[in-house]
Amino acid sequence: WPGNLLLAAAYVSDAQYNRNVPFQTSPQAIRLYYFYNHWMMGMATYIFICVDLSLALFEEPALFPLPFVATALTEVLCLTAFSVRLVHFAKVTPQMVFWKDMKNICIMVTIMVTLIDLIIYGSLAAVHIHSIRWTRALRPVFLINFPESRQTRRAFRSIRNTLPDILYVFLLFLFSVLMFSLIALKLFGDRGLKTAEGAPYFTNILEIAFELYVLVTTANNPDIMMPAYNVNWWYSLYFITYIIINTYIFMSVFLAVVYNNYRKHLKAFHILKVKVGTEFVVKEATWKQLAKVVAPDISSSHLELLLRISDEGQQGYVDKMSFLRLADLLNIQVVTVNLRRHPLEAWVPRVYQSSMSLLVQRVVRHRQLGEEDKQAIPLGGWIFVWAYDVIILINAIFIALDEKHLFISYAEWLFLTLYIIEILLKLYTYEPRAYFGRKQYWNWFDALIIFAALVATTASAAIQSARKYNSRQILDIVLILRILRLLRVIITIERFRVIVTTLINIGPTMLTFGGLVFVVYYTFAVIGMEIFYGKVQFFDPNFTSPDALVCGNPALKGSAFARDRYCKNNFNDLASSFIVLMELTVVNQWHDILLGRGLTGFCCSLEWPGGFALVTHQAAKLYFILFHIVVVILIVNIFIAFILEAFFVAY
Amino acid sequence: WPGNLLLAAAYVSDAQYNRNVPFQTSPQAIRLYYFYNHWMMGMATYIFICVDLSLALFEEPALFPLPFVATALTEVLCLTAFSVRLVHFAKVTPQMVFWKDMKNICIMVTIMVTLIDLIIYGSLAAVHIHSIRWTRALRPVFLINFPESRQTRRAFRSIRNTLPDILYVFLLFLFSVLMFSLIALKLFGDRGLKTAEGAPYFTNILEIAFELYVLVTTANNPDIMMPAYNVNWWYSLYFITYIIINTYIFMSVFLAVVYNNYRKHLKAFHILKVKVGTEFVVKEATWKQLAKVVAPDISSSHLELLLRISDEGQQGYVDKMSFLRLADLLNIQVVTVNLRRHPLEAWVPRVYQSSMSLLVQRVVRHRQLGEEDKQAIPLGGWIFVWAYDVIILINAIFIALDEKHLFISYAEWLFLTLYIIEILLKLYTYEPRAYFGRKQYWNWFDALIIFAALVATTASAAIQSARKYNSRQILDIVLILRILRLLRVIITIERFRVIVTTLINIGPTMLTFGGLVFVVYYTFAVIGMEIFYGKVQFFDPNFTSPDALVCGNPALKGSAFARDRYCKNNFNDLASSFIVLMELTVVNQWHDILLGRGLTGFCCSLEWPGGFALVTHQAAKLYFILFHIVVVILIVNIFIAFILEAFFVAY
Ligand code: NA
């Protein structure tokens, strides 16, 4: 292709994938830029990022321990790959631009710092001194800062823009908590009250402030109120006022502020910023050629449609504005109304158009039919129409019954056959390619569930007849697939479909959101492992040694943490840490999990050596408040805002 | 006044107070209607409603017990008053309209039913048979259905309109919970797992469904997960999926649906529906006379302004449209920009306008000044400007210190004096009537706090010097007043002021909302008292008999309820019931409070007589799920929607 066309195609492709990278315009640089944007390169970068992040599974404290040498070498390899990618980018983009971009600086600094940390840790390990691999918490920087994770970065930027507003509300909220703490100290401090655990009640202003902060999450309600309430009925008014103001009003205000900002920034999400240096007019033929380069899998009819829109005056050329619109157009998912004939109609037209065949089609299609067409279905057809709703119902009853009975296990084959017949009937009625269209989530779901159930049930039966034993894992899978099948009930009710479809439509945005949560969780997990590693041990549930009963930590004796068998809620490896962080996100019992009575290994007992316990204790509080602010106040609220917005648009 | 004017005034007054009552138009009927609408009559009705509602405090189970005869007679008195009010209304309104109005039917039926219930209960009590006064739960009907509580009724109607949408989401949500229950039963049911309390884990589908419903409120997280998680890491994925789908997504969808409907109905709140039968043109003089009748406390200048707006063409008369607009105009709070001169300026103009006096005014006013005016303040003035911020800071430190020290108790007098001086200075600078204007919340707050503190501190000092003893109650009040004073810090920071002002502005709507909550709480409290009365007893905290340790119920031995000293969380009187319901609204530990281990008096122990325990147990579950749906899913979400909307409008 001529150089200019290549350049233009690069621009359009940038716009299509929402890239905003200035690059040098010499033919060599453009070719290098094409190579840089090749999907193989992006994929390789992602794989290296995944490997780098997953190292936390193998490093101490490890889920699958590997020697330090192995993980260190892998990390160096990853860092090299990142450096190569960065150098490649530096070759593509003008130097000035490269050095001005914070993302590149971030990556470079992180690579350097990680290398230094690795060397220090390695040398100290060689002389048997244990130090902290603190740069592990920085690994998500690579995930965020490579151009491929634009969406996650945008989400972060959106959060950053929300921060000033949040800050003011947070300061006011803190002020309110402190005011209430002061009142509590004065009201309850010198009465000699005791909590249910026998600890002094509301005697230290910092303790009170923390307890009241916890009350905002509702986690210690009503425990925090009981000692005062037991003394006098009227003191409950203090706590009710506190809950109304801080738990309800302030938490709603946080949601309001996050939501409001999210709406503002949401608009920016949809605007494509495209910079094209020179003005030009594109001839129709060139335009078509160009579109073919950018989107090779586009159909000719789609292309023709786009051209009609781009070249409104039918003047034979596309002006700059229309040309820019091409990018938008290529992002639009044109829903092609399928008018293609069914293959069977082409092959055996007589049979397919026979009155019997038409009746079958009408019956299968009946939910999409108008009133008139529905009346054309005879009574026998109606029985068939409702048959599958009845089948699902009977299936549900069978599932609820015990599946060990032989009769029921035979019935399972019957149900599978019936469902397969249903899918075949649908394929007979609808054009197969339309039926399995890209947006036909329900059809895909249907077919996958049935196909997987068929495979799993067959496998299970084969294993059982061959080896006379049941594989628990396969049985579990078969079972879940069987139950998921009941979801088909939703399809039959229009209102349910609307709700579920709305939720499915926000799926892609939710994935971005998942990236955000992952980054935050990863960082907190790594920090958590460094602070709380080994404080709590998990023993097999059947193990009843005294150690197992106190989670391997004598300080937990008699604590709620040990009593409720929370021992597995620890920071001893990455997977466990993620689960604990999930529990902290839900904010129930978190003061039990984290505070005093759990991860810090510091319980209410006073025998525990003072200084260290105090330090971990305070660290745990800070760690927790920070996690709460970032995850619950910011991220969960963004999540809620997403769903609210999606429903406001849908309704 | 002539009859027509009286009629017109009645219409306008109806519009102003948002009444929509058709009434007969004979002069006699109008006079009766005036009498019906007299504020004394409304007040009397409210007092009777309050008395009727407060009867629950004196009836068994009572906070202040009174004999049945006394409460029954009072109730009959109230019912008579309601009947009289209703008959009066029947005389005013056309018969057809009266009998078509559901409100009147509701009140009549409730009066009848309550009388019958009273008679039955009384006769049975006479022969010493205890029955249930179930119509007590209907008492809020009077509060809702009398024309005076239009706002609360509207809020209820808004909820009723939300119900269909909520219902679909709720069904889908229930379906999802049942699906997950089925999966849980199949996955975990036959593994012989035990919960931390030793009960079988996930073996009964109804139990599972209830536990999973509780998980939606997060109250039993992570306890519900631990037995499965302790067996295998992978099972946590089941719970994480459940929490994401049901706790986060579905609960947000509920908020979205409620919010969406609320916004729709919000518009209806603001539309005044006025029906005027005949067209007429009002002369200017008549108009003024009319306005004076409707709003006797209106100022002449305000009236003149209204007339200018109503009579746009200055034609000397007001047409129908403008006349109708009067109603709107009378509802508008015209913020009169105060250009009145300060009284001192009129009395001693020389002194008030002297350069010293002007400087003082400028310093006091400095927050409202432009940059130029600020530069006119000399350095000495600036010290004074910041002096009060410093004083509040020092005051905060003094409050945090122990107030028993003599020096600090003297300092308190100093601070009080300083604050009084500040208020006097402000009154010197601003016109006093403008300073204490209707919307000047902060000034009112300031003055009230300082005045109350002055009174309370004086009273406290007087008591102490006279009787050599400190009254704990007065000290508490003094203390809270002193701390509330620190709220003045908020006034000094503009951003804080905006947030707080937004919250204060939704205050009136919140009051309506409070009525709604009260009605629901009252009904649930009365029902709760009937079901759960006496199941749990509260003993003095210092009382250590074995009975006190198990809340007077042997079934609670070893339960979390008794261990956490929740005994005062019971349904033994109205006040306690309200507190328990508040705790249930916050949904933390509610399964402990209500279920199995608390109010039902049915614990995990199997010695408890089977049938009865089972009945109460199931009743408790139903009671609780209903309360959760009504209060948390509906009302709390409306509350959050209010706050969101207020902030979207404000920002
Ligand atoms: Na909770």
Side-chain angles (χ1 to χ4, degrees):
Chain A
W1 307 314
N4 280 349
L5 190 57
L6 204 62
L7 176 59
Y11 281 135
V12 174
S13 160
D14 272 10
Q16 185 184 4
Y17 294 107
N18 226 342
R19 283 192 296 259
N20 187 13
V21 179
F23 51 87
Q24 290 162 321
T25 49
S26 69
Q28 179 120 24
I30 296 175
R31 254 168 245 283
L32 210 57
Y33 184 60
Y34 259 89
F35 183 51
Y36 180 80
N37 281 332
H38 197 280
W39 65 268
M40 289 273 284
M41 297 301 282
M43 181 71 88
T45 310
Y46 264 123
I47 289 172
F48 278 114
I49 290 174
C50 286
V51 169
D52 191 42
L53 287 173
S54 62
L55 280 178
L57 289 170
F58 307 101
E59 294 162 331
E60 277 304 320
L63 194 62
F64 316 103
L66 279 182
F68 171 69
V69 181
T71 58
L73 282 181
T74 317
E75 182 147 28
V76 169
L77 183 70
C78 291
L79 294 178
T80 315
F82 300 148
S83 311
V84 169
R85 180 84 177 151
L86 205 63
V87 168
H88 187 167
F89 186 67
K91 291 260 178 221
V92 166
T93 206
Q95 277 218 322
M96 274 295 289
V97 178
F98 180 83
W99 290 105
K100 262 189 190 165
D101 192 345
M102 270 308 291
K103 292 194 289 292
N104 304 326
I105 310 292
C106 251
I107 296 174
M108 265 189 290
V109 168
T110 311
I111 291 174
M112 300 287 277
V113 162
T114 308
L115 279 176
I116 294 169
D117 183 37
L118 260 177
I119 292 167
I120 293 176
Y121 184 87
S123 351
L124 287 176
V127 293
H128 300 287
I129 297 173
H130 182 78
S131 66
I132 292 173
R133 275 290 330 271
W134 59 273
T135 52
R136 302 197 305 153
L138 295 178
R139 279 178 195 155
V141 165
F142 299 119
L143 182 60
I144 303 168
N145 282 305
F146 271 107
E148 280 72 22
S149 16
R150 191 163 295 102
Q151 293 299 334
T152 310
R153 207 156 53 239
R154 229 170 237 167
F156 264 104
R157 210 174 305 139
S158 164
I159 287 180
R160 205 180 55 203
N161 293 335
T162 314
L163 283 185
D165 277 344
I166 281 283
L167 186 71
Y168 278 101
V169 180
F170 192 77
L171 286 178
L172 199 56
F173 161 70
L174 268 193
F175 179 73
S176 158
V177 171
L178 284 178
M179 288 279 291
F180 272 97
S181 307
L182 202 52
I183 294 178
L185 180 68
K186 296 294 174 179
L187 273 186
F188 310 121
D190 53 357
R191 275 165 210 255
L193 299 179
K194 299 267 174 225
T195 64
E197 284 106 26
Y201 179 71
F202 277 2
T203 51
N204 173 316
I205 184 126
L206 284 178
E207 297 272 338
I208 297 173
F210 183 75
E211 287 289 324
L212 288 181
Y213 188 92
V214 175
L215 182 55
V216 159
T217 70
T218 80
N220 57 359
N221 180 272
D223 307 71
I224 192 180
M225 182 179 84
M226 293 319 287
Y229 179 48
N230 283 338
V231 168
N232 196 329
W233 193 92
W234 290 104
Y235 289 135
S236 65
L237 289 183
Y238 166 86
F239 293 95
I240 293 174
T241 314
Y242 182 87
I243 287 172
I244 291 176
I245 293 181
N246 292 295
T247 308
Y248 286 113
I249 296 184
F250 266 108
M251 290 302 122
S252 304
V253 172
F254 280 126
L255 175 59
V257 171
V258 167
Y259 186 16
N260 205 38
N261 271 281
Y262 163 76
R263 285 203 295 189
K264 256 190 260 162
H265 300 302
L266 184 77
K267 284 172 200 153
F269 267 74
H270 294 309
I271 297 167
L272 292 173
K273 282 182 195 158
V274 184
K275 285 180 198 156
V276 175
T278 49
E279 288 204 25
F280 54 89
V281 161
V282 186
K283 292 246 173 74
E284 215 180 276
T286 326
W287 190 95
K288 278 189 186 170
Q289 210 179 337
L290 182 60
K292 277 280 179 206
V293 172
V294 176
D297 52 349
I298 204 167
S299 73
S300 323
S301 61
H302 190 171
L303 200 62
E304 200 65 35
L305 173 69
L306 292 184
L307 185 60
R308 285 295 143 265
I309 300 168
S310 297
D311 178 13
E312 275 167 275
Q314 310 297 338
Q315 297 158 310
Y317 64 85
V318 179
D319 65 359
K320 188 189 160 195
M321 283 308 295
S322 304
F323 179 78
L324 290 181
R325 227 194 300 156
L326 173 62
D328 282 291
L329 291 173
L330 289 172
N331 264 340
I332 291 170
Q333 296 289 334
V334 176
V335 179
T336 43
V337 178
N338 186 51
L339 291 172
R340 270 183 291 197
R341 287 200 306 173
H342 198 284
L344 285 176
E345 203 175 346
W347 299 338
V348 280
R350 285 272 172 82
V351 179
Y352 197 71
Q353 295 288 357
S354 71
S355 65
M356 188 60 208
S357 163
L358 282 179
L359 175 62
V360 169
Q361 289 170 41
R362 215 178 283 135
V363 166
V364 171
R365 216 189 278 266
H366 82 282
R367 281 188 215 286
Q368 275 106 53
L369 292 183
E371 275 311 306
E372 255 177 69
D373 279 324
K374 274 190 182 167
Q375 276 163 13
I377 301 176
L379 192 67
W382 277 107
I383 291 170
F384 198 79
V385 161
W386 298 111
Y388 274 97
D389 294 343
V390 176
I391 289 171
I392 292 178
L393 206 74
I394 296 172
N395 196 179
I397 296 167
F398 270 72
I399 289 171
L401 297 174
D402 196 335
E403 84 270 23
K404 270 156 207 140
H405 201 286
L406 202 64
F407 168 67
I408 288 173
S409 111
Y410 283 134
E412 174 58 18
W413 287 107
L414 175 68
F415 284 120
L416 269 183
T417 318
L418 285 171
Y419 291 131
I420 290 168
I421 291 173
E422 193 192 2
I423 291 178
L424 289 179
L425 276 174
K426 283 194 175 156
L427 285 177
Y428 178 78
T429 307
Y430 300 105
E431 209 278 327
R433 275 164 299 177
Y435 184 74
F436 286 120
R438 212 189 268 177
K439 293 253 167 182
Q440 304 296 315
Y441 307 117
W442 286 113
N443 299 341
W444 278 103
F445 171 77
D446 245 24
L448 281 178
I449 284 284
I450 299 299
F451 182 72
L454 192 66
V455 169
T457 309
T458 314
S460 168
I463 289 172
Q464 205 184 354
S465 65
R467 302 209 219 148
K468 306 281 173 215
Y469 111 109
N470 279 321
S471 159
R472 179 84 212 186
Q473 275 73 29
I474 290 182
L475 278 184
D476 281 353
I477 291 168
V478 169
L479 179 79
I480 289 170
L481 288 172
R482 209 177 290 162
I483 296 174
L484 282 181
R485 211 183 294 158
L486 300 181
L487 278 181
R488 297 158 49 103
V489 170
I490 295 171
I491 316 176
T492 63
I493 296 163
E494 175 62 23
R495 290 289 284 265
F496 287 178
R497 262 184 117 139
V498 172
I499 299 169
V500 175
T501 308
T502 307
L503 289 175
I504 290 173
N505 283 338
I506 50 173
T509 329
M510 282 295 138
L511 282 184
T512 304
F513 189 80
L516 196 78
V517 172
F518 177 79
V519 165
V520 174
Y521 266 45
Y522 190 91
T523 308
F524 272 96
V526 168
I527 296 172
M529 286 194 285
E530 293 296 353
I531 307 181
F532 305 120
Y533 171 69
K535 292 273 187 294
V536 169
Q537 304 278 322
F538 174 68
F539 296 85
D540 191 79
N542 302 320
F543 207 69
T544 48
S545 80
D547 245 18
L549 290 177
V550 294
C551 307
N553 188 332
L556 289 172
K557 197 173 171 190
S559 68
F561 189 87
R563 192 177 58 228
D564 293 339
R565 297 217 229 138
Y566 281 2
C567 308
K568 207 169 180 176
N569 292 328
N570 58 42
F571 274 101
N572 296 354
D573 58 64
L574 195 68
S576 301
S577 307
F578 267 66
I579 302 273
V580 174
L581 292 179
M582 189 277 293
E583 290 168 6
L584 296 185
T585 305
V586 176
V587 282
N588 197 53
Q589 308 282 17
W590 65 260
H591 57 310
D592 267 359
I593 295 173
L594 199 84
L595 235 224
R597 285 146 288 195
L599 296 175
T600 58
F602 166 67
C603 183
C604 357
S605 70
L606 296 168
E607 296 108 49
W608 192 254
F612 174 68
L614 211 67
V615 170
T616 335
H617 196 176
Q618 302 304 331
K621 279 185 183 174
L622 272 183
Y623 177 83
F624 195 67
I625 291 180
L626 205 65
F627 184 78
H628 183 257
I629 294 171
V630 173
V631 174
V632 181
I633 292 185
L634 278 173
I635 295 185
V636 169
N637 277 338
I638 293 175
F639 183 83
I640 295 174
F642 264 116
I643 293 176
L644 289 182
E645 191 68 24
F647 270 80
F648 291 162
V649 172
Y651 271 114
Chain B
W1 308 312
N4 281 349
L5 188 59
L6 205 63
L7 177 61
Y11 281 135
V12 173
S13 159
D14 272 12
Q16 184 185 5
Y17 294 108
N18 228 342
R19 283 191 298 259
N20 187 11
V21 180
F23 51 88
Q24 292 162 320
T25 50
S26 69
Q28 180 123 23
I30 296 175
R31 254 168 245 284
L32 212 56
Y33 184 60
Y34 258 87
F35 184 50
Y36 180 81
N37 281 331
H38 196 280
W39 66 268
M40 288 274 283
M41 296 301 282
M43 181 70 88
T45 310
Y46 265 122
I47 289 173
F48 277 112
I49 291 174
C50 287
V51 169
D52 191 45
L53 287 173
S54 62
L55 280 179
L57 289 170
F58 306 102
E59 295 162 330
E60 278 305 318
L63 195 62
F64 315 105
L66 279 183
F68 171 69
V69 182
T71 58
L73 282 181
T74 317
E75 182 145 30
V76 170
L77 183 71
C78 291
L79 294 179
T80 314
F82 300 150
S83 311
V84 168
R85 180 84 176 150
L86 206 62
V87 169
H88 189 170
F89 185 64
K91 291 262 178 217
V92 165
T93 206
Q95 277 216 322
M96 276 295 290
V97 177
F98 180 83
W99 291 104
K100 262 190 190 163
D101 193 344
M102 271 307 291
K103 292 195 290 291
N104 304 325
I105 309 292
C106 251
I107 295 175
M108 264 187 291
V109 169
T110 312
I111 291 175
M112 301 285 279
V113 160
T114 308
L115 279 175
I116 294 169
D117 185 35
L118 259 178
I119 292 166
I120 293 176
Y121 184 87
S123 349
L124 288 175
V127 294
H128 300 287
I129 298 172
H130 182 78
S131 65
I132 292 173
R133 277 290 330 270
W134 58 274
T135 51
R136 303 196 304 153
L138 296 179
R139 279 179 194 153
V141 166
F142 300 119
L143 182 59
I144 302 167
N145 282 306
F146 271 108
E148 282 70 25
S149 13
R150 192 161 295 101
Q151 293 299 332
T152 310
R153 207 156 52 240
R154 227 168 240 167
F156 264 103
R157 211 174 303 138
S158 163
I159 287 180
R160 205 181 53 204
N161 293 336
T162 314
L163 284 184
D165 277 344
I166 281 283
L167 185 72
Y168 278 101
V169 179
F170 192 77
L171 286 178
L172 200 58
F173 162 69
L174 269 193
F175 180 74
S176 157
V177 170
L178 284 177
M179 289 279 292
F180 271 98
S181 307
L182 201 54
I183 294 178
L185 180 69
K186 297 291 174 183
L187 273 186
F188 309 121
D190 53 356
R191 274 165 210 254
L193 299 179
K194 299 266 173 227
T195 64
E197 285 105 25
Y201 179 71
F202 277 2
T203 51
N204 173 316
I205 183 130
L206 284 178
E207 296 272 336
I208 297 173
F210 183 76
E211 286 288 323
L212 288 181
Y213 188 92
V214 175
L215 182 54
V216 160
T217 69
T218 78
N220 57 358
N221 180 272
D223 307 71
I224 192 180
M225 182 179 87
M226 293 318 290
Y229 179 48
N230 282 338
V231 168
N232 194 329
W233 192 92
W234 290 104
Y235 289 135
S236 66
L237 288 183
Y238 166 85
F239 293 94
I240 293 174
T241 315
Y242 182 87
I243 287 173
I244 291 175
I245 293 181
N246 291 296
T247 307
Y248 284 114
I249 296 185
F250 266 107
M251 291 300 122
S252 303
V253 172
F254 280 125
L255 176 59
V257 172
V258 168
Y259 186 17
N260 206 38
N261 270 283
Y262 165 75
R263 283 204 296 189
K264 257 191 258 162
H265 299 302
L266 184 76
K267 283 171 200 153
F269 268 73
H270 293 310
I271 297 167
L272 291 174
K273 283 182 192 155
V274 185
K275 285 178 198 157
V276 174
T278 48
E279 291 205 22
F280 55 90
V281 161
V282 186
K283 294 244 173 74
E284 214 180 280
T286 326
W287 190 96
K288 278 188 184 169
Q289 211 180 336
L290 183 62
K292 276 284 180 197
V293 173
V294 176
D297 52 346
I298 202 167
S299 73
S300 322
S301 62
H302 189 171
L303 200 61
E304 201 65 37
L305 173 68
L306 292 185
L307 186 61
R308 287 295 141 265
I309 301 167
S310 297
D311 177 14
E312 274 168 278
Q314 312 297 335
Q315 296 158 309
Y317 65 84
V318 179
D319 66 358
K320 187 189 159 194
M321 285 306 298
S322 303
F323 178 78
L324 292 181
R325 224 194 302 157
L326 172 61
D328 282 288
L329 292 172
L330 288 173
N331 263 340
I332 291 170
Q333 296 290 334
V334 176
V335 179
T336 41
V337 177
N338 186 51
L339 292 172
R340 271 182 289 197
R341 286 200 305 174
H342 198 284
L344 286 175
E345 202 176 346
W347 301 336
V348 279
R350 284 271 173 81
V351 179
Y352 197 72
Q353 295 289 356
S354 70
S355 66
M356 191 57 209
S357 164
L358 282 178
L359 176 61
V360 168
Q361 290 171 39
R362 212 177 284 134
V363 166
V364 171
R365 217 189 278 266
H366 82 281
R367 282 190 215 282
Q368 277 105 51
L369 292 183
E371 275 311 307
E372 252 175 69
D373 278 324
K374 275 192 182 166
Q375 276 164 13
I377 300 176
L379 193 65
W382 278 106
I383 291 169
F384 198 78
V385 162
W386 298 112
Y388 275 95
D389 294 344
V390 175
I391 288 172
I392 292 176
L393 206 74
I394 296 172
N395 196 179
I397 296 167
F398 270 71
I399 290 171
L401 296 173
D402 197 335
E403 83 271 24
K404 270 154 205 141
H405 200 287
L406 201 65
F407 167 67
I408 287 173
S409 113
Y410 284 134
E412 174 58 17
W413 286 106
L414 176 67
F415 284 120
L416 270 182
T417 317
L418 286 171
Y419 291 130
I420 291 167
I421 290 173
E422 191 191 4
I423 292 178
L424 289 178
L425 277 175
K426 283 192 176 158
L427 285 176
Y428 179 78
T429 308
Y430 300 104
E431 209 278 326
R433 275 164 299 176
Y435 183 74
F436 286 120
R438 212 190 266 178
K439 293 251 166 186
Q440 304 295 316
Y441 309 116
W442 285 114
N443 298 343
W444 278 103
F445 172 77
D446 244 27
L448 282 178
I449 284 284
I450 297 300
F451 182 71
L454 192 64
V455 170
T457 311
T458 313
S460 167
I463 289 172
Q464 205 183 355
S465 65
R467 302 210 220 149
K468 304 284 173 213
Y469 111 109
N470 278 322
S471 159
R472 179 85 214 189
Q473 275 74 28
I474 290 182
L475 278 184
D476 281 354
I477 293 169
V478 168
L479 178 81
I480 290 170
L481 288 171
R482 209 177 288 163
I483 295 173
L484 283 181
R485 210 182 294 157
L486 300 182
L487 279 180
R488 297 157 51 101
V489 171
I490 295 171
I491 315 177
T492 62
I493 297 162
E494 175 61 23
R495 291 289 283 265
F496 288 178
R497 262 186 116 139
V498 172
I499 298 169
V500 174
T501 307
T502 307
L503 289 175
I504 289 174
N505 283 336
I506 50 174
T509 331
M510 282 296 137
L511 282 184
T512 305
F513 188 79
L516 197 78
V517 172
F518 176 79
V519 166
V520 174
Y521 266 45
Y522 190 90
T523 308
F524 272 96
V526 169
I527 296 172
M529 285 195 286
E530 294 296 352
I531 307 180
F532 306 120
Y533 171 68
K535 293 273 186 294
V536 169
Q537 305 278 323
F538 174 68
F539 296 85
D540 191 81
N542 301 321
F543 207 69
T544 49
S545 80
D547 246 18
L549 290 177
V550 294
C551 306
N553 187 333
L556 289 172
K557 198 174 171 189
S559 68
F561 189 86
R563 194 176 57 227
D564 292 339
R565 297 217 228 140
Y566 280 3
C567 308
K568 209 171 179 175
N569 292 327
N570 57 44
F571 274 102
N572 296 354
D573 59 63
L574 195 69
S576 301
S577 308
F578 267 67
I579 304 275
V580 174
L581 292 179
M582 189 278 294
E583 288 168 8
L584 296 184
T585 306
V586 176
V587 282
N588 197 52
Q589 309 281 17
W590 65 261
H591 57 311
D592 266 359
I593 294 174
L594 199 82
L595 235 221
R597 285 148 287 198
L599 296 175
T600 60
F602 166 67
C603 184
C604 356
S605 71
L606 296 168
E607 295 108 51
W608 192 254
F612 175 70
L614 210 67
V615 170
T616 336
H617 196 177
Q618 301 304 331
K621 277 184 185 174
L622 272 183
Y623 178 84
F624 194 66
I625 291 180
L626 206 65
F627 184 80
H628 183 256
I629 294 171
V630 173
V631 175
V632 181
I633 292 185
L634 277 172
I635 296 186
V636 169
N637 277 338
I638 294 176
F639 183 84
I640 296 174
F642 264 115
I643 295 175
L644 290 182
E645 191 68 25
F647 269 80
F648 291 163
V649 171
Y651 271 113

